[in-house]
Amino acid sequence: LHLHDNNGLKDNHTLNKYGNIDWDMVAQKIAKTNPDICLDYEMLMHYRTSKDNAYNVLQETIKQAKELEEKILLLTNNENK
């Protein structure tokens, strides 16, 4: 599944915290349909500040991917009870 966030006006390819997608709802939908799906993040760095660098952006992406995965696993486990 190809993932990235946006502001609803154009295809920004931002990290989760910079857009307006409801990631809790996304996690719920994935947990109900296919919790073993591969998640693929795509992003651009044009929205980042000059203080950020590629390493920091990748670290934040990994953090957010883990958070989403944990939500999906928790929801999946709750569905299976």
Side-chain angles (χ1 to χ4, degrees):
L1 181 62
H2 175 90
L3 300 171
H4 61 83
D5 211 337
N6 64 67
N7 63 9
L9 301 175
K10 62 181 183 176
D11 200 12
N12 302 92
H13 291 83
T14 64
L15 293 173
N16 299 359
K17 66 182 182 179
Y18 294 106
N20 59 11
I21 291 176
D22 181 349
W23 289 98
D24 290 331
M25 187 262 318
V26 170
Q28 290 172 5
K29 298 282 186 185
I30 292 172
K32 286 182 181 179
T33 56
N34 188 0
D36 295 324
I37 196 168
C38 292
L39 303 177
D40 172 32
Y41 273 84
E42 182 178 0
M43 67 190 148
L44 300 174
M45 291 184 61
H46 71 283
Y47 63 92
R48 306 298 298 186
T49 66
S50 60
K51 294 184 287 184
D52 292 323
N53 58 42
Y55 178 80
N56 291 339
V57 172
L58 289 173
Q59 290 296 99
E60 182 65 23
T61 303
I62 291 167
K63 178 180 170 260
Q64 290 185 15
K66 287 180 180 180
E67 289 171 359
L68 181 61
E69 180 182 31
E70 289 170 3
K71 284 180 187 180
I72 293 167
L73 291 173
L74 179 65
L75 290 164
T76 301
N77 290 335
N78 288 342
E79 290 282 324
N80 293 329
K81 287 185 180 180

